[in-house]
């Protein structure tokens, strides 16, 4: 099992550009999450999904969108990049509620 | 909304000493409390977790205690070693109502040789 795989690992965006962070998992997990981690800060939940076709907002959803068309994939979309979105983004998945979350290796995004 | 506070933000201990990290949660419906370790430049990984029907859980040098009345839980690391140096995150979640998996702000632990 590869676990949770994120692409790209690094990206530099200009203000106003758009991009999609890809996340895929091969553990057949129903639950998937997107977090952002700012320097010296904790993990803030952006969006999560409890299964294909179902998504919901987390703590900091503004400026982001998600979709979940398959169990495996949970892409995160930034429509109009802003400097405040400079962060490290982690995708994670879990088998169910209240279980261990498995994280991807992270995407370091810089908006200039 | 739901909130998880974590203290201290940084902690330095001498090798061999114990380290304690504390978290407080606001959602009384939370019933799952995991702890994650994140080494520099790497992804967070689960080290131990506890559910609300248990007051304490141990795994070798690591233990977690839970006080549901006070809504706080703590991570205890005994006989610390240099490889314990990392950022530790607590989290809280529940399996009823609106599901959330919320993390604390993290504690940077430095074990001094």
């Amino acid at each position: 099992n590869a676990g949770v795989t994120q692409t790209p690992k690094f990206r530099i965006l200009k203000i106003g550009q758009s991009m999609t962070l890809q996340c895929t998992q091969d553990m057949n997990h129903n639950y998937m999450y997107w977090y952002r981690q700012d320097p010296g800060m904790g993990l803030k939940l952006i969006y999560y999904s409890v299964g294909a076709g179902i998504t919901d907002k987390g703590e900091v959803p503004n400026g982001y969108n998600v979709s979940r068309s398959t169990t495996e994939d949970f892409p995160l979309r930034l429509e109009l990049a802003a400097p405040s979105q400079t962060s490290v983004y982690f995708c994670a998945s879990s088998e169910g509620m209240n279980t261990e979350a498995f994280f991807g290796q992270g995407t370091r995004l810089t908006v200039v | 909304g739901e909130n998880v506070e974590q203290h201290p933000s940084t902690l330095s201990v001498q090798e061999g000493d114990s380290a304690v990290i504390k978290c407080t949660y606001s959602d009384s419906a939370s019933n799952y409390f995991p702890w994650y370790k994140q080494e520099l430049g790497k992804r967070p990984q689960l080290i131990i977790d506890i559910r609300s029907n248990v007051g304490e859980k141990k795994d070798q040098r690591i233990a977690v205690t839970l006080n549901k009345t006070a809504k706080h839980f703590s991570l205890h690391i005994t006989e610390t070693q240099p490889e314990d140096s990392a950022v530790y995150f607590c989290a809280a979640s529940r399996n009823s109502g609106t599901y959330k998996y919320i993390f604390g702000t993290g504690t940077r632990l430095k074990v001094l040789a």
Side-chain angles (χ1 to χ4, degrees), chain B residues 14-40:
Chain B
Q14 291 291 329
E15 182 177 358
D17 286 351
S18 295
V20 181
I21 303 169
K22 298 180 179 180
C23 287
T24 303
Y25 59 98
S26 61
D27 183 2
S28 57
S30 295
N31 53 7
Y32 176 65
F33 308 94
W35 286 89
Y36 289 81
K37 177 182 181 182
Q38 185 180 29
E39 296 178 352
L40 189 63

Side-chain angles (χ1 to χ4, degrees), chain A residues 35-81:
Chain A
Y35 292 91
R36 60 176 287 172
Q37 184 176 32
D38 298 331
M41 302 293 287
L43 295 154
K44 291 291 187 183
L45 182 63
I46 305 172
Y47 271 94
Y48 69 98
S49 169
V50 301
I54 306 170
T55 62
D56 207 348
K57 296 178 180 178
E59 302 168 274
V60 290
N62 291 344
Y64 307 94
N65 278 300
V66 293
S67 60
R68 184 92 182 272
S69 57
T70 67
T71 299
E72 294 78 20
D73 301 309
F74 190 41
L76 178 71
R77 178 82 177 161
L78 284 72
E79 289 295 346
L80 293 170

